[in-house]
Amino acid sequence: MGQKIELACIIDDDKIYVNLVKKIIEIKQLSENLLIYKNGKEAMDHFKHILGNMSEERLPEIIFLDLNMPVMDGWEFLNEFVKIKNNFNKKITLYVVSSSIDPRDLERAKSINMVTDYLIKPIELKKFEKIFERAIPAA
């Protein structure tokens, strides 16, 4: 698989899930680095800071976003992220990851064109590997 993703990001308040994903990424060597935020506000503050400093290399290539979190949930994060994403030149692949199987959540997420896919927890290992393979630009 030669090329790896430089920076992945998980926005999720579920510590067990986050630790599991972190382990998978480390063991399978799917990404060089990993950003982890407990809620959408932490992540949004970071992205706005990057924008202010014009340091796009510190932006993740792939984001896994949970919907149900305290402070700023996934929907609120998406609303804010849509407003600032055009200021970035870097292509960012965003996956909504949720334990919700409510068809309304699925439809709502898919109606936001920056959402690549809606993944239901728990995510299988094979699916994770495929996601990372797809996100890596062909050299």
Side-chain angles (χ1 to χ4, degrees), residues 3-138:
Q3 205 176 5
K4 257 194 278 196
I5 284 189
E6 279 294 312
L7 186 58
C9 176
I10 302 169
I11 307 170
D12 201 314
D13 64 325
D14 179 342
K15 286 191 183 91
I16 295 165
Y17 165 78
V18 168
N19 285 333
L20 179 70
V21 173
K22 197 170 142 186
K23 275 277 174 266
I24 291 170
I25 290 171
E26 283 169 9
I27 291 166
K28 294 288 182 179
Q29 299 178 339
L30 300 173
S31 178
E32 292 286 330
N33 299 291
L34 188 59
L35 296 171
I36 298 169
Y37 301 103
K38 294 188 295 281
N39 61 61
K41 184 178 180 341
E42 275 186 10
M44 186 50 60
D45 289 348
H46 177 79
F47 293 139
K48 285 182 175 171
H49 177 76
I50 288 171
L51 194 59
N53 292 336
M54 304 305 252
S55 49
E56 282 202 13
E57 70 280 352
R58 291 176 36 221
L59 279 173
E61 286 127 289
I62 189 165
I63 297 174
F64 296 98
L65 175 68
D66 184 27
L67 292 178
N68 301 310
M69 296 176 285
V71 188
M72 178 189 268
D73 70 18
W75 299 120
E76 292 167 313
F77 174 84
L78 281 169
N79 288 339
E80 288 300 305
F81 196 68
V82 164
K83 293 175 195 167
I84 66 166
K85 82 168 179 63
N86 290 334
N87 297 315
F88 302 126
N89 292 320
K90 192 174 202 177
K91 182 184 179 322
I92 300 171
T93 308
L94 191 143
Y95 289 90
V96 168
V97 183
S98 180
S99 49
S100 168
I101 54 171
D102 185 334
R104 288 172 303 201
D105 285 342
L106 188 74
E107 285 307 306
R108 185 174 170 194
K110 294 219 172 173
S111 74
I112 301 166
N113 69 12
M114 63 173 289
V115 174
T116 303
D117 204 354
Y118 185 100
L119 308 170
I120 296 167
K121 290 180 187 175
I123 305 169
E124 303 146 29
L125 181 60
K126 284 276 176 251
K127 190 152 192 155
F128 252 116
E129 289 176 318
K130 281 212 176 7
I131 286 167
F132 277 87
E133 283 167 19
R134 263 198 310 250
I136 296 170

